[in-house]
Amino acid sequence: MGYLLGGIIPLLPYFFIAQAIDALKISCIITGIVLLIFGTVKARVTGAARSIWGYIWGAVSTMAVGGFAAAAAYGLVVAVERSSIS
């Protein structure tokens, strides 16, 4: 259930916004905010947040990992599209 809910968050703007580029921008913003919140909660639950810097590190590192994963997925799609014979 968590995987479904986590996966649907970035897709929600595409259901309500007609222009794909506008939906992508909103999706990136929403996903970034959610990753920051998740990272803060993760830092609290794991005990890494011994100070305010622990919360900040947890939030930023989680958002960075999520951003790198999204960039890698995007890069793979671009590579596959370029290698496809049309």
Side-chain angles (χ1 to χ4, degrees):
M1 187 61 148
Y3 188 78
L4 173 68
L5 292 175
I8 199 78
I9 290 171
L11 296 177
L12 284 175
Y14 294 96
F15 294 123
F16 303 107
I17 300 173
Q19 296 294 321
I21 192 69
D22 294 335
L24 176 64
K25 292 174 187 176
I26 299 297
S27 177
C28 288
I29 292 168
I30 291 172
T31 302
I33 291 169
V34 170
L35 285 170
L36 286 170
I37 293 168
F38 178 74
T40 303
V41 172
K42 181 186 75 167
R44 171 73 176 167
V45 170
T46 61
R50 298 180 193 272
S51 69
I52 187 69
W53 298 110
Y55 286 108
I56 292 170
W57 174 252
V60 171
S61 64
T62 301
M63 189 176 76
V65 169
F68 289 139
Y74 181 79
L76 286 172
V77 168
V78 169
V80 168
E81 284 183 349
R82 288 186 181 165
S83 68
S84 296
I85 299 173
S86 297

